[in-house]
Amino acid sequence: MAYASALLRDPAQTYRQIDLAGRTANADGPALVQLLYEELGQALRVAAWAAEHKKFAVKSERVTRATAILFALEAGLDFEKGGEVSVTLAKLYAGARRQVIEASLGQDGAPFRQVADSMAEIAEAWRMVRAA
């Protein structure tokens, strides 16, 4: 009963979870990476909003999600095939995690948006590589 109650309280979140599950069901590796970048950007932008509006529970949940996504992106790197690019991305992801964790201690949304913007640039490069 509590689950049904939670679904009714936030139908937009429920739809988002169903949509995400549907998109990941048949996605290949590169498509999953693209989804991770999209979800990372979303989590960081919501964390920025939550920080500025003193919605601490939301901020905490979004920071946790963003951090987990950054770990997942790093864990998915293939250092044998990716070489120096993988090493560079690993450093970028680790730095982004540090920035997110440091930003989580304050109420300024700007650091979250800065990380989101940086990751959006990488996501765009990823999209271009996939399209080629």
Side-chain angles (χ1 to χ4, degrees):
M1 185 59 132
Y3 178 73
S5 174
L7 290 177
L8 294 175
R9 278 186 296 214
D10 193 356
Q13 181 64 23
T14 301
Y15 172 79
R16 185 163 168 65
Q17 289 173 344
I18 291 169
D19 178 54
L20 182 60
R23 291 188 300 158
T24 59
N26 296 318
D28 61 2
L32 288 174
V33 170
Q34 191 65 49
L35 285 172
L36 286 173
Y37 280 124
E38 290 172 18
E39 289 298 310
L40 176 59
Q42 169 80 11
L44 290 168
R45 293 188 193 289
V46 172
W49 174 89
E52 294 165 349
H53 291 87
K54 298 181 173 136
K55 303 290 185 184
F56 302 117
V58 173
K59 180 178 80 170
S60 177
E61 192 272 326
R62 295 287 94 187
V63 165
T64 299
R65 183 167 181 84
T67 304
I69 291 169
L70 287 164
F71 273 119
L73 286 167
E74 186 175 357
L77 293 173
D78 184 337
F79 290 94
E80 288 182 27
K81 291 181 184 175
E84 197 58 39
V85 171
S86 293
V87 171
T88 299
L89 285 172
K91 289 177 184 176
L92 249 160
Y93 297 147
R97 275 196 318 273
R98 277 191 300 280
Q99 284 180 272
V100 169
I101 291 167
E102 288 172 12
S104 71
L105 301 175
Q107 294 179 3
D108 184 5
F112 294 116
R113 286 188 190 89
Q114 289 168 350
V115 174
D117 291 345
S118 296
M119 293 297 113
E121 290 178 27
I122 297 169
E124 183 56 34
W126 181 258
R127 268 191 288 279
M128 291 172 57
V129 167
R130 285 191 65 215

